[in-house]
């Protein structure tokens, strides 16, 4: 949630004054007082010049009016440091203006600004009391001044109504501005707190997912290492009898060790949780997507699975990551677009495996559950994809649905590595054959490479069975 638009009134103007070197309340109020003085004097000169002959003002009275207007505007310098003194000076100079020209309604901007300042700086009730008191005092003193100067009842009514209206209306405007400013500050604080809460949830979800990745990597490493241990036993028995087969076995062990180290380097620094499982359960991969789709259908979801292209060999960690991304995307569709049709497409493209999960908009009359964990699922999926060197794009579709597109690269030599990689069941069988052969070593001829090593025997399809170290 962006908070840049939740700025208090005048924030940009304050920033501009700071850049100009006008800092502090007194300096800024002095600039305001000077501006009000110049504008009020110019307007007064123009207004007096337009008066009819019967209301003409003598040069002496005109000078007195201009000086009083300037003094009244100058009193605004104190509006934020000595508010009570500012109000008193404004009221006094306004009464003096009435006394100089009782038949005219001369008023500068100072009363409006002073009354609005009362509304912005003081609590609403206190501000209204002070503004009403200033208006009543000004009206009473103006009435006395008009009567002393021989003014009419109409002049008295004009000055009294003007004084009360200016002070009360301007104070109400100030109260509104202060209330709106406080409301914007509250909204900004709430938005910032919501951002902090969201970041905390996302970081917690990513940390939990990293811990889960570490546990799954343990299973992947156990799969590789258990096969290496069994194969090493077979190589040991072939060193003196079939050097070529032993070298092939050593090469296979080297490749398996390199693959295991690559997987370990990808998650260096990830911390495991205390509730880690024992690692005996097989890891789900793309081969488990039909089961995932079947489970989703059992829950009432309309999910379709499409597989395109020839299955390409994929590293175990990448296989698990793509499955988890598809699982999270299907879960998100169920939560945010219940009743929508979900299409899971797996494409084995040259050099990459792509998983694309697309769902339509929610059914009419059905609303998704937003909850308090918005954004964490996408962060976790991006973490999954980045961990195996892939990419993930997610966003809305033109029809109002949502699409998650994950791509994980497949190395060019993945076919060779996978051809040499033995699944747990096949490796265990090779180890059993090697031990049986060792038992009858004196009575049987030396075994051939294809009898003990994965490089020489037909490759069996990987069925997902895991062997734990």
């Amino acid at each position: 949630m962006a908070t840049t638009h939740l700025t208090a009134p005048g924030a940009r103007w304050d920033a501009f004054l700071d850049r100009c070197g006008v800092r502090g309340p007194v300096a800024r109020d002095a600039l305001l007082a000077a501006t009000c003085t110049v504008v009020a004097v110019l307007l007064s000169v123009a207004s007096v010049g337009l008066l009819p002959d019967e209301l003409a003002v003598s040069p002496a009275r005109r000078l007195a009016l201009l000086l009083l207007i300037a003094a009244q505007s100058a009193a605004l310098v104190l509006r934020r440091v000595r508010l009570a003194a500012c109000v008193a000076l404004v009221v006094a100079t306004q009464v003096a203006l009435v006394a100089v020209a009782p038949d005219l309604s001369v008023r500068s901007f100072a009363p409006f600004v002073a009354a609005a300042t009362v509304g912005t700086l003081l609590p609403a009730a206190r501000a209204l009391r002070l503004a009403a008191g200033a208006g009543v005092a000004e009206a009473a003193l103006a009435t006395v001044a008009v009567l002393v100067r021989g003014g009419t009842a109409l002049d008295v009514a004009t000055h009294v109504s003007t004084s009360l209206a200016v002070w009360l209306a301007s104070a109400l405007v100030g109260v509104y501005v202060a209330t709106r400013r406080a409301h914007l500050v509250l909204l900004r604080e709430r938005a910032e707190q919501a951002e902090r809460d969201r970041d905390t949830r996302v970081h917690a979800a990513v940390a939990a997912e990293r811990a889960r990745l570490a546990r799954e990597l343990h299973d992947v490493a156990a799969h590789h290492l258990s096969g290496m241990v069994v194969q090493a036993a077979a190589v040991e028995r072939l060193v003196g009898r079939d050097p070529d087969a032993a070298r092939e076995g050593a090469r296979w062990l080297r490749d398996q060790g390199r693959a295991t180290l690559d997987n370990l380097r990808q998650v260096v620094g990830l911390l495991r949780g205390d509730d880690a499982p024992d690692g005996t359960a097989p890891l789900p991969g793309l081969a488990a997507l039909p089961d995932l789709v079947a489970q989703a259908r059992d829950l009432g979801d309309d999910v379709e699975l499409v597989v395109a292209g020839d299955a390409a060999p994929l590293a175990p960690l990448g296989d698990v990551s793509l499955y988890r991304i598809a699982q999270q995307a299907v879960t998100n569709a169920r939560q945010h677009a219940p009743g929508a049709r979900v299409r899971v497409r797996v494409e084995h493209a040259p050099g990459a495996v792509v998983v694309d999960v697309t769902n339509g908009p929610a059914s009419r009359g059905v609303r998704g559950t937003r909850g308090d964990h918005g954004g964490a699922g996408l962060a976790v999926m991006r973490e999954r994809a980045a961990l195996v060197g892939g990419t993930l794009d997610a966003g809305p579709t033109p029809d109002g649905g949502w699409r998650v597109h994950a791509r994980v690269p497949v190395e060019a030599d993945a076919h060779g590595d996978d051809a040499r990689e033995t699944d747990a069941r096949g490796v265990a069988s090779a180890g059993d054959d090697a031990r049986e052969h060792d038992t009858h070593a004196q009575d049987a001829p030396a075994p051939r490479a294809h009898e003990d090593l994965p490089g020489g025997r037909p490759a069996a399809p990987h069925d997902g069975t895991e062997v734990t170290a």
Side-chain angles (χ1 to χ4, degrees):
M1 177 180 180
T3 59
T4 54
H5 66 286
L6 298 176
T7 55
R12 294 183 179 179
W13 178 248
D14 290 340
F16 172 75
L17 292 179
D18 286 337
R19 291 193 298 269
C20 295
V22 183
R23 300 182 177 89
V26 175
R28 293 184 178 182
D29 290 340
L31 177 62
L32 174 64
T35 303
C36 289
T37 301
V38 173
V39 175
V41 167
L42 292 178
L43 289 178
S44 299
V45 171
S47 300
V48 171
L50 296 176
L51 291 176
D53 295 337
E54 60 271 15
L55 296 178
V57 179
S58 63
R61 293 177 61 192
R62 181 181 302 179
L63 179 60
L65 290 175
L66 295 180
L67 292 177
L68 287 173
I69 288 174
Q72 188 178 57
S73 299
L76 295 178
V77 175
L78 304 175
R79 73 185 187 99
R80 283 189 286 182
V81 293
R82 294 290 187 273
L83 181 58
C86 175
V87 171
L89 289 175
V90 170
V91 170
T93 51
Q94 185 61 39
V95 172
L97 287 171
V98 174
V100 172
D103 52 342
L104 300 177
S105 182
V106 181
R107 188 176 294 271
S108 70
F109 298 106
F112 296 93
V113 176
T117 304
V118 169
T120 56
L121 297 184
L122 300 180
R126 184 181 173 188
L128 292 178
R129 287 196 299 268
L130 179 57
V136 171
E138 181 182 306
L141 294 176
T143 300
V144 174
V146 171
L147 294 177
V148 169
R149 293 296 301 254
T152 64
L154 179 60
D155 295 334
V156 172
T158 300
H159 289 294
V160 168
S161 60
T162 303
S163 299
L164 294 176
V166 167
W167 282 96
L168 290 177
S170 300
L172 287 174
V173 171
V175 170
Y176 167 76
V177 171
T179 303
R180 182 172 179 271
R181 184 179 300 163
H183 179 65
L184 289 177
V185 170
L186 180 60
L187 287 180
R188 184 167 60 250
E189 291 177 352
R190 287 182 177 177
E192 292 173 352
Q193 183 62 41
E195 287 184 349
R196 288 192 294 268
D197 294 343
R198 183 200 61 188
D199 293 341
T200 301
R201 289 194 301 269
V202 170
H203 292 160
V206 170
E209 190 66 14
R210 287 182 175 180
R212 185 179 182 181
L213 287 169
R215 294 194 295 267
E216 291 177 352
L217 181 63
H218 164 266
D219 298 334
V220 172
H223 165 70
H224 285 292
L225 293 177
S226 60
M228 293 171 65
V229 170
V230 175
Q231 194 61 41
V235 171
E236 182 182 8
R237 290 164 177 78
L238 292 172
V239 169
R241 290 174 292 185
D242 195 339
D244 293 337
R247 279 193 294 271
E248 180 66 21
R251 187 179 300 110
W252 182 86
L253 289 173
R254 180 198 62 194
D255 294 339
Q256 289 298 299
R258 183 181 61 185
T260 304
L261 288 176
D262 289 342
N263 286 336
L264 288 173
R265 290 191 186 99
Q266 287 178 323
V267 288
V268 169
L270 296 181
L271 299 177
R272 297 189 56 179
D274 296 333
D275 57 345
D278 57 6
T280 59
L283 292 174
L286 293 179
L289 284 180
D291 295 334
L292 174 65
V293 171
Q295 293 173 5
R297 289 173 179 171
D298 292 340
L299 295 175
D301 299 333
D302 185 5
V303 184
E304 175 190 8
L305 175 62
V306 178
V307 180
D310 297 331
L314 192 62
L317 198 58
D319 197 22
V320 174
S321 297
L322 284 177
Y323 173 83
R324 295 300 187 194
I325 290 173
Q327 184 184 44
Q328 182 68 50
V330 172
T331 302
N332 289 349
R334 181 185 305 120
Q335 291 178 350
H336 302 296
R341 182 177 179 83
V342 182
R343 186 170 185 266
V344 181
R345 176 181 173 85
V346 180
E347 181 180 357
H348 297 276
V353 178
V354 178
V355 171
D356 193 275
V357 182
T358 307
N359 63 268
S363 300
R364 291 184 177 180
V366 181
R367 300 183 64 180
T369 57
R370 293 293 173 184
D372 296 329
H373 301 282
L378 288 178
V380 167
M381 287 191 285
R382 288 193 176 95
E383 185 81 9
R384 281 273 187 184
L387 179 65
V388 293
T391 59
L392 185 136
D393 297 321
T397 58
D399 62 351
W402 191 264
R403 178 173 180 257
V404 174
H405 181 85
R407 182 181 185 278
V408 172
V410 178
E411 296 182 0
D413 61 347
H415 292 275
D417 292 341
D418 213 62
R420 291 190 296 270
E421 181 180 352
T422 305
D423 61 272
R425 184 180 301 170
V427 171
S429 299
D432 293 340
D433 291 343
R435 286 190 292 272
E436 181 179 355
H437 173 80
D438 186 66
T439 304
H440 304 284
Q442 298 179 356
D443 300 327
R448 302 298 301 166
H450 69 273
E451 296 173 342
D452 291 287
L453 297 174
R457 63 178 177 83
H462 184 65
D463 59 357
T465 306
E466 304 292 330
V467 176
T468 306

